[in-house]
């Protein structure tokens, strides 16, 4: 269950930035260039942003539940941060549980990489390269510049809306375009981060040429795009000749020093990622025959036909094809009865309960109500039909929203969807399992094609395995070479 980072986080940053700073731009020295630059955000404010954003990011994407990998990534990250231009910052490195290839940095020293990008890496040097690149965005204060620009924009146009906590996410949907626009780095920033990344790699003892190889993966993954989180290329646009430039940069760095002692560390890396989930994890929800099924939370719901469903850690959102209406399912954080919760919500500023009553939805105690919500900043109103459903140990809030003039026609569609919420009892659906990475050793002369035969997995093509391993399918391997295979998990229908 969730919504793109860019939306809620940007709204949050904007509001925080406006709160924290006056209208007067300040000046600060850039830690990398040493030059003075206009910055609306001081270092203290930058750190505060990271600290405040961190729990939201974890709530949104979820930390990968694997203490061993977290410690491993943290260790390598700290080594790189220690040789960076801002060793004094308090750095944090987290693997998030997202099936999209990306890595991102939040101001103040918070770096995130996805479990999916880890699946595509083949050694520790590549991991160091990606972490080094993200560290570069922080040391050169790229995000801070981005936010300063966004802040200027927001001061001019009055965006940065905050409604009630419950409806805040939904209100933010409309602002996703703005979020994406500003959180994308510029190509000059990318070039600088590439340079900083290979420098930090080398200083931490890794072979910088490995980063060049990994850039090729991003190029080949260009078509893949994330629903939940944008992929690497959409947030880190490739500067022209990225591979050539970085390769030259790496050779220059190595020109005057022996490169024999540099670390690549393939085996230790592969050992770390053995067993991690690859791709979507169906235990966290999937769509089947028009139903959204959630095995871990044991519920199901039917969204209107043809609506696009986005499933994130904190929310499931179904959006009408033209984007004119949406239904969002989330867990209420307060442990209350449906009626208490409905009353609590009606007391939020800008929220009015138009009508509503206690009911039962498929045997579960519920409250179904019509609300009108007014954004306190923009004065824009939305109409909402909300169901609060007590099921298992949780209180679910399922809310359909649209503009007030479309509410009358949409409310029937909302109601027929909301009232399908109920228990998931199908044992086959409850028993689904994700695909996982397995590491196997080749015997002399075996090829990736031979090894792939060990698992029959209709979701993974041989070309996918070739990219994951950066091997040609028919290339004979030496004895003992370890390769990644994807063991299929159990699914409802193959
Ligand atoms: Zn970047």
């Amino acid at each position: 269950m969730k919504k793109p980072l860019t939306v809620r986080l940007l709204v949050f940053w904007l509001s925080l930035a406006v709160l924290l700073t006056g209208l007067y731009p300040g000046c600060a020295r850039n830690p990398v260039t040493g030059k003075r630059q206009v910055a609306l955000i001081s270092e203290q404010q930058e750190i505060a942003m990271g600290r405040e954003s961190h729990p939201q990011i974890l709530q949104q994407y979820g930390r990968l539940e694997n203490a061993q990998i977290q410690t491993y990534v943290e260790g390598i990250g700290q080594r790189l941060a220690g040789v960076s231009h801002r060793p004094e910052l308090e750095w944090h490195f987290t693997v998030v549980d997202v099936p999209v290839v990306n890595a991102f940095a939040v101001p103040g020293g918070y770096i995130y990489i996805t479990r999916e990008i880890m699946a595509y890496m083949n050694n520790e040097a590549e991991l160091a390269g990606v972490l080094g690149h993200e560290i570069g965005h922080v040391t050169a204060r790229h995000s801070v510049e981005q936010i300063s620009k966004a802040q200027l924009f927001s001061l001019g146009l009055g965006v940065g809306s905050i409604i009630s906590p419950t409806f805040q996410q939904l209100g933010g949907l409309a602002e996703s375009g703005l979020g994406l626009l500003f959180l994308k780095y510029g190509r000059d920033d990318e070039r600088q981060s590439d340079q900083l990344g290979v420098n930090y790699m080398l200083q931490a003892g890794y072979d910088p040429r490995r980063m060049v190889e990994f850039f090729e993966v991003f190029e080949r993954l260009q078509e893949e795009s994330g629903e939940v989180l944008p992929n690497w290329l959409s947030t880190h646009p490739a500067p022209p000749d990225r591979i050539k430039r970085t390769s030259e940069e790496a050779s220059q760095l190595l020109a005057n020093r022996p490169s024999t002692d540099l670390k690549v560390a393939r085996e230790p890396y592969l050992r770390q990622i053995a067993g991690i989930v690859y791709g979507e994890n169906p235990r966290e929800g999937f769509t089947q025959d028009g139903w959204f099924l959630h095995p871990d939370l044991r519920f199901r719901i039917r969204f209107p036909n043809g609506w696009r469903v986005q499933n994130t850690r904190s929310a499931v959102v179904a959006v009408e094809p033209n984007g004119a209406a949406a239904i969002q399912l989330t867990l209420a954080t307060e442990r209350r009865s449906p009626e208490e919760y409905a009353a609590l919500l009606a007391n939020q500023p800008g929220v009015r309960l138009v009508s509503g009553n206690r009911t039962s939805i498929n045997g579960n105690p519920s409250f179904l109500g019509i609300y009108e919500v007014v954004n306190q900043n923009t004065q824009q109103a939305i109409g909402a039909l909300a169901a609060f459903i007590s099921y298992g140990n949780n209180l679910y809030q399922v809310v359909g929203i649209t503009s007030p003039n479309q509410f009358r026609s949409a409310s029937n569609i909302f109601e027929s969807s909301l009232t399908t919420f109920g228990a998931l009892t199908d044992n086959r659906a409850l028993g689904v399992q994700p695909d996982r990475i397995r590491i196997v050793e080749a015997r002399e002369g075996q090829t990736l094609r031979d090894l792939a035969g060990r698992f029959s997995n209709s979701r993974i093509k041989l070309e996918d395995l070739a990219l994951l391993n950066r091997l040609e399918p028919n290339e004979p391997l030496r004895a003992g070479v370890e390769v990644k295979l994807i063991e299929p998990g159990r699914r409802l229908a193959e």
Side-chain angles (χ1 to χ4, degrees):
M1 323 209 287
K2 73 209 156 191
K3 179 179 59 77
L5 163 80
T6 43
V7 182
R8 198 169 64 184
L9 212 59
L10 186 85
V11 170
F12 170 76
W13 276 344
L14 290 176
S15 58
L16 186 70
V18 173
L19 281 178
L20 287 173
T21 58
L23 292 174
Y24 305 101
C27 242
R29 263 186 213 289
N30 186 292
V32 169
T33 60
K35 288 189 193 138
R36 293 188 83 77
Q37 66 178 175
V38 175
L40 294 170
I41 294 159
S42 74
E43 181 169 41
Q44 269 175 324
Q45 289 161 347
E46 182 194 342
I47 293 168
M49 275 184 203
R51 201 169 40 227
E52 303 278 322
S53 308
H54 184 59
Q56 298 198 353
I57 290 173
L58 294 186
Q59 196 203 347
Q60 192 82 356
Y61 296 114
R63 182 197 296 269
L64 182 71
E65 298 291 345
N66 185 324
Q68 187 192 312
I69 288 189
Q70 297 289 359
T71 308
Y72 176 70
V73 171
E74 175 82 24
I76 294 163
Q78 294 298 349
R79 218 178 307 149
L80 291 154
V83 298
S84 78
H85 291 87
R86 299 176 80 180
E88 75 293 345
L89 263 189
E90 200 183 291
W91 293 86
H92 304 264
F93 298 86
T94 310
V95 184
V96 288
D97 195 1
V98 182
V100 173
V101 174
N102 207 344
F104 51 98
V106 164
Y110 290 79
I111 310 281
Y112 305 85
I113 65 170
T114 61
R115 69 163 152 81
E116 199 80 341
I117 201 173
M118 292 199 76
Y120 280 88
M121 292 168 172
N122 274 301
N123 53 60
E124 205 170 292
E126 291 173 355
L127 171 61
V130 168
L131 293 175
H133 176 99
E134 295 304 323
I135 290 171
H137 281 309
V138 175
T139 55
R141 302 190 98 218
H142 293 154
S143 324
V144 172
E145 275 176 49
Q146 296 282 320
I147 294 162
S148 293
K149 281 184 211 154
Q151 187 183 349
L152 285 174
F153 189 82
S154 78
L155 291 174
L157 295 184
V159 295
S161 61
I162 298 292
I163 339 173
S164 81
T166 303
F167 290 103
Q168 177 182 340
Q169 287 190 320
L170 296 168
L173 276 175
E175 284 152 19
S176 58
L178 179 71
L180 285 170
L181 190 67
F182 284 112
L183 285 185
K184 182 171 167 173
Y185 296 111
R187 291 195 160 78
D188 290 339
D189 289 349
E190 285 304 311
R191 187 169 305 141
Q192 190 178 28
S193 271
D194 289 348
Q195 276 179 358
L196 290 169
V198 290
N199 270 281
Y200 298 157
M201 272 177 94
L202 181 63
Q203 287 175 61
Y206 292 102
D207 187 340
R209 290 168 296 195
R210 300 301 165 154
M211 187 58 203
V212 182
E213 278 180 33
F214 199 62
F215 280 144
E216 288 164 9
V217 174
F218 292 134
E219 300 229 317
R220 286 173 63 182
L221 284 171
Q222 203 150 13
E223 266 94 77
E224 175 232 46
S225 81
E227 280 273 294
V228 163
L229 177 72
N231 70 2
W232 168 277
L233 273 179
S234 59
T235 53
H236 301 258
D241 300 332
R242 170 174 248 168
I243 291 177
K244 188 165 158 273
R245 272 170 187 274
T246 313
S247 164
E248 284 166 4
E249 185 82 21
S251 325
Q252 257 170 31
L253 287 173
L254 294 176
N256 300 315
R257 80 186 295 295
S259 57
T260 45
D261 60 328
L262 292 173
K263 254 175 94 161
V264 175
R266 178 179 163 88
E267 282 74 25
Y269 180 80
L270 294 180
R271 227 170 292 140
Q272 291 290 334
I273 63 163
I276 67 168
V277 171
Y278 175 80
E280 300 279 349
N281 186 348
R283 297 217 53 81
E284 293 165 359
F286 63 98
T287 302
Q288 181 83 29
D289 303 329
W291 286 87
F292 179 82
L293 312 177
H294 200 299
D296 274 353
L297 293 171
R298 307 176 82 93
F299 75 80
R300 64 174 197 165
I301 184 169
R302 194 174 180 96
F303 292 116
N305 281 340
W307 287 31
R308 203 163 54 90
V309 178
Q310 279 195 19
N311 178 27
T312 72
R313 177 73 47 141
S314 56
V316 186
V317 185
V319 183
E320 190 264 340
N322 298 319
I327 297 174
Q328 177 176 287
L329 183 152
T330 49
L331 288 170
T333 45
E334 306 248 353
R335 278 191 67 114
R336 289 176 191 263
S337 74
E339 291 146 283
E340 281 170 346
Y341 193 79
L344 197 75
L345 192 65
N347 281 330
Q348 300 288 318
V351 180
R352 189 170 74 88
L353 176 62
V354 179
S355 66
N357 53 280
R358 190 162 55 162
T359 180
S360 163
I361 294 179
N362 295 312
N364 303 302
S366 305
F367 183 94
L368 191 64
I370 293 172
Y371 289 83
E372 197 177 83
V373 185
V374 178
N375 180 321
Q376 298 293 281
N377 291 348
T378 64
Q379 295 305 309
Q380 272 181 330
I382 53 172
L385 180 72
F388 306 111
I389 308 163
S390 179
Y391 171 65
N393 289 320
N394 293 308
L395 181 65
Y396 290 81
Q397 40 183 345
V398 195
V399 186
I401 60 153
T402 188
S403 60
N405 56 4
Q406 295 190 52
F407 185 75
R408 190 187 282 268
S409 57
S411 68
N412 284 336
I413 299 171
F414 291 156
E415 187 167 345
S416 46
S417 171
L418 269 46
T419 52
T420 60
F421 182 97
L424 176 63
T425 53
D426 178 352
N427 279 327
R428 288 176 318 135
L430 290 169
V432 296
Q433 291 297 336
D435 295 348
R436 290 182 186 275
I437 293 180
R438 299 294 174 210
I439 306 296
V440 299
E441 250 182 53
R443 289 196 308 272
E444 185 67 34
Q446 273 189 315
T447 65
L448 187 60
R449 185 187 293 277
D450 299 332
L451 292 163
R454 180 172 304 200
F455 298 118
S456 127
N457 190 339
S458 58
R459 286 179 293 278
I460 307 294
K461 295 196 276 299
L462 190 57
E463 303 92 84
D464 301 331
L465 284 180
L467 181 57
L468 276 167
N469 286 286
R470 264 163 287 144
L471 288 173
E472 292 302 324
N474 299 320
E475 180 181 339
L477 303 168
R478 288 198 321 273
V481 169
E482 292 179 310
V483 303
K484 292 176 266 186
L485 298 181
I486 308 296
E487 182 181 12
R490 200 182 314 144
R491 296 298 160 97
L492 254 188
E494 294 290 339

